[in-house]
Amino acid sequence: MSAVPRSEKPAGRFRRMIDRLSSSQEDLESEELREDAETAGCTRIGDCRDRQVVTVTGTLRTVTLRPRAGVPALEAELFDGSAALDVVWLGRRSIVGIEPGRKLMASGRISMSRGRRVLFNPKYELRPLGRE
């Protein structure tokens, strides 16, 4: 065995093909989401810190209507391959286009709530569903 970790070795075409064939579908999707975030120039969700102003991108995993302090709130979980982030729109019951599986780019100030990253009332842009 070599002393150099596998991730630090130069990857040839054959090695990349073997890695892709031996990876799970979830791993491949996470890698694709991380690459999309990098090419869009966004901050990785896993690198976001409390009270930091960020622009993130990813895929919405879940969308739920959950009241907060008696006010309707639309909550969605955004995943970019590195970590998940809760996106919350206060006072909204629904937003056209906000649905599970949709790609989204959001900007705002990160806060921490119950140990999870949260983005309240972000500026957002719906991304195309397919590859362009």
Side-chain angles (χ1 to χ4, degrees), residues 20 30-41 80 131:
R20 289 188 70 78
S30 292
E31 182 181 334
E32 183 179 325
L33 287 170
R34 284 190 299 270
E35 289 172 3
D36 288 346
E38 186 177 312
T39 58
D80 76 345
R131 286 241 165 201

Side-chain angles (χ1 to χ4, degrees), residues 25-98:
Q25 184 65 27
E26 186 175 323
D27 290 340
L28 294 174
E29 289 172 0
S30 292
E31 182 181 334
E32 183 179 325
L33 287 170
R34 284 190 299 270
E35 289 172 3
D36 288 346
E38 186 177 312
T39 58
C42 295
T43 306
R44 290 179 32 183
I45 293 174
D47 295 338
C48 295
R49 302 290 170 246
D50 191 25
R51 305 205 35 82
Q52 179 182 10
V53 176
V54 296
T55 298
V56 294
T57 188
T59 300
L60 296 175
R61 283 182 165 173
T62 61
V63 178
T64 56
L65 177 61
R66 184 171 301 147
R68 287 181 173 250
V71 176
L74 185 65
E75 293 188 8
E77 182 183 65
L78 184 69
F79 181 70
D80 76 345
S82 67
L85 165 76
D86 293 331
V87 183
V88 180
W89 289 274
L90 299 170
R92 302 296 299 262
R93 294 184 188 280
S94 67
I95 298 174
V96 176
I98 302 295

